[in-house]
Amino acid sequence: MATAADTDAMRRAIELAARGLGSTSPNPVVGCVITDASGHVVGEGYHERAGGPHAEIHALRAAGVLARGGTAYVTLEPCNHTGRTGPCAQALTEAGIARVLYAVADPNPQATGGADTLRAAGVEVAHGLLEDEAEAGNIAWLTSVRLGRPYVTWKYAATLDGRIAAADGTSRWISSPESRADVHRLRAESDAVVVGSGTMRADDPHLAVRGIEGATQPLRVVIDTDAAAVRAGARVLDEAAPTLVAVAQDAAPVPYVTAAGTAHGDTAAPVPAAGEAVPSPEPDAGGPAVLRLPRAERGLSVPALLAALHERGVRSVLLEGGPTLAGSFVAAGAVDRVIGYLAPVLLGAGPAALADAGITTITGALRLHVTHTDRIGTDLRVTATVPKGA
């Protein structure tokens, strides 16, 4: 039976885990708190980066000999395999931990089994404390393991009457400075930021994170079906962050070229197989990588794109494109979370936030679960998730 102290320690572990958002992929975010035999916190840690020590190792190092006879609170079942680091289940056992409480079972078949290993070593193990909270904090990685694709968040900013731009196409700025700063936080927590050709032509977006010290830059992804929207000199072609341009398999060679006069990252023949990415350029070569994908009814195949990104280690995607791109993702059943920044503004005309998503009747409406409503500057930020099976 978990005590109030157990709950407090696990909640702290969940808070610690969140510090790794955006820097641990393709690994999960994990937090760990260790208390001594008397229940005093003696060690804390979180998984800081892929390839680095896991949360349990950081916490055990902080606790030292005080871990013996104590309790470890971990947001994810301690791993049971040797990858770039050793198995955490073994490390906990060797440190003399007497009790382990973990929130979420590890669905990764390569790493699961840590709980059984701990029990076999005589450690008391319990599972499920604050499971829902821990799962929500690690939902991108969990989704990637369960579904084999990244977790997708669609973000948009709109007026209260649902317009993302005026009738003349102007849109800067509908949302408040605080909302725009919050979007940079979302980018910093994501592995990739995706836009479409319409946004490229209208806004020439940069898509890199600004204003967040130490942020890991996400992969900038442009869906440019006909290889016509990304032009030489586009802001996404600078060196602030890596860039991937997705084009149709039958599209012409990309128009941006290196000094040598060849399209960088692209290939003329043979055409790569569906979902196969052309190797990324060397850091000093310049230009983006190019990914050729099969066409679909709505531009490029969304499942093929997400599969290719997953293969590259992308576990979370922030969809920042316009209404057409958002409609394609919704129609493909590939949106997991929606974050809308609603400004106290009325326009009465102009494009809506979401274009055709294949929904034709009210009975077919995609009904979301609102998880948070927050005041951001003068705006209202609404966060909603798509129910499982929807």
Side-chain angles (χ1 to χ4, degrees):
M1 184 72 177
T3 66
D6 291 332
T7 300
D8 289 343
M10 184 62 80
R11 184 159 285 120
R12 173 60 178 166
I14 293 171
E15 293 173 357
L16 290 167
R19 296 182 182 181
L21 287 171
S23 62
T24 64
S25 283
N27 295 345
V29 293
V30 183
C32 178
V33 170
I34 292 177
T35 59
D36 62 16
S38 300
H40 298 99
V41 174
V42 293
E44 293 184 343
Y46 68 97
H47 186 39
E48 300 175 9
R49 59 180 177 81
H54 290 187
E56 297 93 321
I57 305 305
H58 283 299
L60 286 171
R61 288 174 180 172
V65 297
L66 296 178
R68 187 161 298 278
T71 298
Y73 302 85
V74 195
T75 57
L76 184 68
E77 180 183 0
C79 67
N80 197 43
H81 77 301
T82 299
R84 285 183 283 185
T85 60
C88 291
Q90 180 180 336
L92 291 166
T93 300
E94 293 175 350
I97 289 290
R99 179 172 173 248
V100 172
L101 275 67
Y102 68 93
V104 179
D106 194 333
N108 184 355
Q110 294 180 331
T112 192
D116 292 338
T117 296
L118 289 164
R119 291 190 183 97
V123 179
E124 179 185 346
V125 180
H127 156 239
L129 178 61
L130 299 186
E131 182 175 10
D132 290 345
E133 291 182 32
E135 173 144 346
N138 206 19
I139 192 62
W141 181 81
L142 290 168
T143 296
S144 74
V145 173
R146 293 165 179 166
L147 301 183
R149 66 160 176 82
Y151 182 83
V152 178
T153 296
W154 169 41
K155 158 264 160 187
Y156 70 94
T159 63
L160 278 183
D161 56 339
R163 309 293 178 175
I164 61 167
D168 65 357
T170 56
S171 61
R172 297 187 178 183
W173 294 104
I174 285 177
S175 59
S176 67
E178 292 84 354
S179 290
R180 298 196 295 274
D182 194 59
V183 170
H184 284 279
R185 176 189 61 82
L186 291 178
R187 288 180 182 176
E189 293 178 354
S190 303
D191 298 333
V193 179
V194 178
V195 298
S197 57
T199 298
M200 277 302 305
R201 292 189 179 97
D203 299 335
D204 185 24
H206 191 227
L207 303 180
V209 177
R210 298 189 301 275
I212 300 180
E213 186 176 353
T216 300
Q217 291 292 347
L219 175 67
R220 299 178 293 189
V221 180
V222 181
I223 301 178
D224 187 8
T225 304
D226 295 311
V230 180
R231 306 280 184 167
R235 298 171 72 205
V236 295
L237 300 181
D238 68 12
E239 297 180 354
T243 299
L244 175 70
V245 180
V247 302
Q249 288 176 324
D250 59 354
V254 293
Y256 28 88
V257 296
T258 64
T262 57
H264 191 84
D266 200 3
T267 183
V271 175
E276 180 182 348
V278 178
S280 298
E282 295 298 322
D284 60 350
V290 175
L291 173 70
R292 289 187 176 269
L293 297 171
R295 289 182 183 268
E297 182 180 351
R298 302 166 182 269
L300 297 181
S301 167
V302 171
L305 170 68
L306 292 178
L309 291 177
H310 186 269
E311 182 68 21
R312 285 172 167 258
V314 171
R315 299 296 178 258
S316 57
V317 164
L318 181 63
L319 186 63
E320 288 198 41
T324 300
L325 184 63
S328 296
F329 271 71
V330 172
V335 171
D336 302 293
R337 180 175 63 164
V338 178
I339 298 180
Y341 296 88
L342 303 180
V345 176
L346 298 177
L347 283 173
L354 183 66
D356 179 17
I359 300 170
T360 58
T361 67
I362 192 65
T363 56
L366 183 58
R367 299 189 182 275
L368 310 179
H369 172 62
V370 175
T371 59
H372 297 90
T373 56
D374 304 283
R375 186 74 177 266
I376 305 290
T378 57
D379 305 331
L380 180 65
R381 183 185 65 200
V382 178
T383 304
T385 57
V386 177
K388 293 179 181 179

